[in-house]
Amino acid sequence: MSKEVMIVTGAGQISMAIARRVGYGKKIVMGDKNMENAKAIAKIMNEAGFDVEPVEMDLSSRESILNLIAKAKEYGEIKMLVNGAGVSPSQAPVEAILKVDLYGTAVLLEEVGKVIAKGGVGVTISSQSGWRMPQLTAEQDAQLSTTPTEELLGLEILQPDNIRDTLHAYQMAKRCNEKRVMAQSVEWGKRGARINDIAPGIIVTPLAIDEFNGPRGDFYKNMFAKCPAGRPGTADEIANVAELLMSDRGAFITGSTFLVDGGATASYYYGPLKPEV
């Protein structure tokens, strides 16, 4: 029997939390560059009654993305996309962050948008980090939103001389994610489908724990201590928002970004996290 199909990229805690919340009764095709990660998450979910097939996928490769989509289409109509794949500032150099988080996400949204079924819906995960970067010009925002994917990495604002470090590259990538979601929501809408973005704050995952113990650990610990919530978040709290966006209750929501960060961004601009001038 043909099932509705859900594509999940990034076999991590946030992806799994969302997939568990909305993926029951569907065929879940889960892509990750690390096949061991994908197999581990698939095992956990399959033993809880889900139907998950792990697939090796490199988000930085259009060919790999197309292979993942082709595998998903073998099982039926693609009705859902959850994009949780990516690398962090402590995990990769500037070039890799831009190739995976910025270019790869843009390609994924574009390619899934070509085949998403009527009534389909997607969410991609960006980050609060992009909200702390100074505003770009309207022209730069438009470039990030609509430049053909194969030309994105050639933009002047993304050249090495204009990217300060891995954090700046990450922030630029996440800003681009949000702009691409806005532009792609128009294309997805032509197929009767929706796409939104969630920008999480500090969420406790294995990746985040690596960050806590890394060179920027004190920065992150200070951030969640001084945000209004006074703590980091959990993957299930991100899934709460995704569940709304991916359900019929969110039918009028598309092209939007939801900042879910415990108030850290608010504190950065108007509270104790505000940088000293």
Side-chain angles (χ1 to χ4, degrees):
M1 183 178 68
S2 179
K3 291 184 175 181
E4 291 184 351
V5 181
M6 177 182 196
I7 291 177
V8 177
T9 68
Q13 293 297 314
I14 291 176
S15 292
M16 181 170 68
I18 298 172
R20 288 177 70 108
R21 193 68 62 86
V22 299
Y24 45 83
K26 295 178 175 61
K27 180 68 179 186
I28 301 172
V29 178
M30 178 172 286
D32 194 282
K33 188 173 184 180
N34 185 329
M35 195 60 178
E36 293 307 309
N37 283 351
K39 287 179 178 178
I41 295 296
K43 182 175 186 292
I44 291 170
M45 293 188 66
N46 286 333
E47 291 178 353
F50 292 86
D51 182 4
V52 183
E53 178 170 344
V55 177
E56 188 172 353
M57 184 219 64
D58 180 355
L59 188 62
S60 70
S61 163
R62 183 184 294 272
E63 180 181 8
S64 186
I65 289 169
L66 289 172
N67 288 340
L68 178 72
I69 293 171
K71 171 58 69 174
K73 288 173 68 177
E74 291 178 9
Y75 296 103
E77 285 192 312
I78 298 171
K79 289 298 290 281
M80 288 187 171
L81 168 69
V82 175
N83 176 37
V87 292
S88 76
S90 297
Q91 289 181 317
V94 167
E95 182 180 3
I97 290 170
L98 294 178
K99 190 72 184 293
V100 175
D101 290 4
L102 191 150
Y103 167 80
T105 296
V107 171
L108 181 69
L109 298 182
E110 175 183 67
E111 293 296 347
V112 174
K114 294 176 182 177
V115 298
I116 191 75
K118 184 175 182 179
V121 63
V123 294
T124 192
I125 304 300
S126 62
S127 170
Q128 62 161 358
S129 191
W131 291 60
R132 294 197 306 276
M133 188 176 68
Q135 291 295 311
L136 301 176
T137 66
E139 181 182 5
Q140 289 169 332
D141 276 340
Q143 290 173 346
L144 292 178
S145 301
T146 60
T147 295
T149 47
E150 293 306 317
E151 299 173 19
L152 261 174
L153 296 179
L155 290 175
E156 180 64 25
I157 56 173
L158 300 180
Q159 298 315 297
D161 289 348
N162 294 319
I163 300 292
R164 295 187 299 275
D165 51 27
T166 58
L167 177 60
H168 185 211
Y170 184 76
Q171 291 176 331
M172 190 67 79
K174 297 308 179 180
R175 181 70 62 84
C176 183
N177 295 166
E178 294 163 9
K179 296 302 178 182
R180 294 307 281 200
V181 162
M182 290 186 74
Q184 278 296 309
S185 70
V186 179
E187 299 305 313
W188 282 49
K190 295 174 184 176
R191 298 182 62 87
R194 301 183 294 112
I195 179 72
N196 288 292
D197 175 79
I198 300 174
I202 298 172
I203 306 299
V204 178
T205 65
L207 184 152
I209 291 171
D210 285 346
E211 292 285 344
F212 297 161
N213 295 323
R216 296 176 57 80
D218 289 343
F219 171 84
Y220 290 113
K221 291 172 185 176
N222 182 62
M223 180 180 293
F224 68 69
K226 292 183 179 178
C227 75
R231 62 172 177 85
T234 67
D236 288 278
E237 289 175 300
I238 302 304
N240 289 340
V241 178
E243 183 179 24
L244 166 64
L245 296 177
M246 301 183 81
S247 74
D248 289 342
R249 290 176 296 160
F252 198 54
I253 306 171
T254 192
S256 297
T257 291
F258 291 79
L259 183 62
V260 187
D261 70 346
T265 301
S267 184
Y268 177 84
Y269 283 104
Y270 308 115
L273 287 175
K274 187 173 183 178
E276 295 182 6
V277 179

